[in-house]
Amino acid sequence: MPRPAPQSIRLLLRAAALAFATALVPALAAARPSTFIYSGAVWLDSQGRQIQAHGGGVLFYHRTWYWFGEDRTPGLDPAKRYVACYSSRDLLHWTFRGRPLQLADPEHLGPRWILERPKVYFSPTTHHFVLYFHLDDAHYRLARVATAVSTRITGPYTYVRSFRPLGFESRDIGQFIDDDGSAYLIFESRPSGGFYIAQLSADRLSVTRQVAFLHLPLEGGALVHAGGLYYVLGSHLTGWRPNPNVYATASALVGPWTAFQPIAPASPDTYGSQSTFLLKVTGTKSAAVLFMGDIWKPKILWDSRYLWMPVQIGVGHMLLPPPAPWTIDVRTGAVTIEQP
Ligand code: GAL
């Protein structure tokens, strides 16, 4: 091998230094006394690994939050799709609870089949957990939801079936549990030109009833009930590219719904994120509503980040403030946003 010239040595040294610094980033982040949630940053789990819960949803169960999402970890079996689960008591520190779903192509969809936006429901009648996800082929032509079931929240989940809810095409899905415990699936349906809010059966295994149809093509659907109003949120259909996410309100799920307006008027791309969930945290003093969004990196999906911020909500308005470090006292519900 020829001896490297001095210039190449300098380049090599620089590359080595960069590799060292990059390797250090997770370690530094882990070492940081983290009382704050930092949107867009690498978010590490209890094992010091980058959280893989993209397009996710959160289920509150036995005083613990469980965060489920797409696990895009490189190096896993390329024939399978994975859902990861994390649990937390403070919404800041997340313990990796494994991969409750590790699924091989369930419907002969071909090597590039798609599993997206997993959401887990608890059935109060069967005491089972039902995992919903968007199932598709490589071209998004199947447009179905699929279900998997488990007796334990952390799985393993067993595949049940796939179907088109109420007979409609369904791509992005969202989840909503109302204050009375009733459960809803939000799904985007292209031929209808909008998205549906539909109720689930008591065993959570089927979609039983259309509650509302909102005539605007929106995906990344999310819904919350706060201060006596329902707020529904979604993004326009621009694939992985962020766009101005919009919301509407209604005093009943069936509507009438107001016109849609942007959740982040100051940012034409919702600060680079796409909605996936709205989480209400009810404390002893107040209730906070958290916007959960994905900052997608389509070429390296595993490195996609999260934008989680408390929204300012009330009297028909919901505003996503510019991302800043923030923290929540889950006991009282009080939120503190660090001022720049
Ligand atoms: C997004 C959608 C993602 C994924 C992506 C593919 O709009 O929310 O879940 O389907 O499109 O382009």
Side-chain angles (χ1 to χ4, degrees):
M1 202 173 137
R3 261 178 79 147
Q7 166 72 1
S8 329
I9 290 175
R10 268 202 303 278
L11 284 177
L12 274 177
L13 284 176
R14 203 178 300 158
L18 191 69
F20 180 68
T22 318
L24 218 60
V25 169
L28 285 177
R32 184 168 56 194
S34 47
T35 45
F36 287 99
I37 291 173
Y38 296 85
S39 291
V42 169
W43 200 347
L44 301 177
D45 68 10
S46 52
Q47 303 181 341
R49 287 200 293 245
Q50 199 162 330
I51 293 179
Q52 292 293 322
H54 313 287
V58 171
L59 183 65
F60 188 56
Y61 180 71
H62 284 180
R63 292 186 292 135
T64 303
W65 286 274
Y66 291 84
W67 179 8
F68 296 87
E70 301 157 21
D71 185 341
R72 307 272 192 173
T73 303
L76 297 176
D77 181 349
K80 290 188 175 170
R81 302 293 176 267
Y82 298 85
V83 174
C85 174
Y86 301 82
S87 66
S88 176
R89 288 257 172 143
D90 63 6
L91 294 171
L92 176 64
H93 300 95
W94 291 92
T95 304
F96 180 60
R97 304 297 297 269
R99 298 189 173 100
L101 187 68
Q102 313 190 12
L103 191 66
D105 179 354
E107 311 268 358
H108 310 290
L109 300 169
R112 287 166 51 226
W113 69 281
I114 280 159
L115 182 163
E116 287 177 344
R117 299 192 173 266
K119 309 280 181 277
V120 171
Y121 296 84
F122 172 67
S123 162
T125 52
T126 63
H127 292 202
H128 288 176
F129 298 87
V130 184
L131 170 55
Y132 275 70
F133 55 93
H134 170 200
L135 178 72
D136 229 315
D137 60 28
H139 308 287
Y140 289 94
R141 285 198 201 112
L142 187 76
R144 287 175 173 231
V145 290
T147 49
V149 69
S150 176
T151 53
R152 289 160 47 96
I153 190 165
T154 51
Y157 285 78
T158 309
Y159 186 77
V160 180
R161 66 178 178 129
S162 77
F163 59 99
R164 286 189 167 170
L166 308 172
F168 297 115
E169 288 192 12
S170 167
R171 292 186 175 81
D172 273 14
I173 58 165
Q175 172 182 26
F176 175 60
I177 317 282
D178 209 343
D179 300 332
D180 65 2
S182 48
Y184 300 85
L185 182 78
I186 304 162
F187 61 95
E188 183 263 322
S189 199
R190 231 143 277 193
S192 311
F195 66 103
Y196 293 89
I197 302 171
Q199 190 162 4
L200 300 189
S201 56
D203 64 10
R204 304 298 184 246
L205 285 168
S206 49
V207 178
T208 51
R209 184 173 71 93
Q210 176 179 326
V211 175
F213 171 71
L214 287 95
H215 201 178
L216 187 68
L218 288 182
E219 51 191 11
L223 184 48
V224 73
H225 187 229
L229 275 183
Y230 292 91
Y231 295 75
V232 73
L233 168 70
S235 78
H236 302 283
L237 313 186
T238 59
W240 303 116
R241 273 182 303 111
N243 58 58
N245 291 192
V246 290
Y247 72 94
T249 68
S251 51
L253 271 183
V254 290
W257 289 89
T258 63
F260 282 89
Q261 48 187 320
I263 188 177
S267 168
D269 69 353
T270 321
Y271 304 105
S273 73
Q274 182 190 19
S275 57
T276 187
F277 202 79
L278 286 167
L279 179 64
K280 183 164 72 171
V281 179
T282 307
T284 51
K285 296 206 177 113
S286 52
V289 173
L290 310 180
F291 170 96
M292 289 171 49
D294 294 287
I295 302 174
W296 296 111
K297 294 192 185 181
K299 294 209 171 95
I300 35 170
L301 280 171
W302 65 268
D303 193 31
S304 299
R305 306 289 168 83
Y306 310 102
L307 191 158
W308 283 25
M309 279 300 288
V311 292
Q312 293 159 19
I313 195 166
V315 285
H317 293 286
M318 180 161 68
L319 182 77
L320 176 66
W326 62 280
T327 189
I328 183 167
D329 179 342
V330 294
R331 197 180 54 79
T332 61
V335 152
T336 314
I337 301 180
E338 214 176 49
Q339 295 310 319

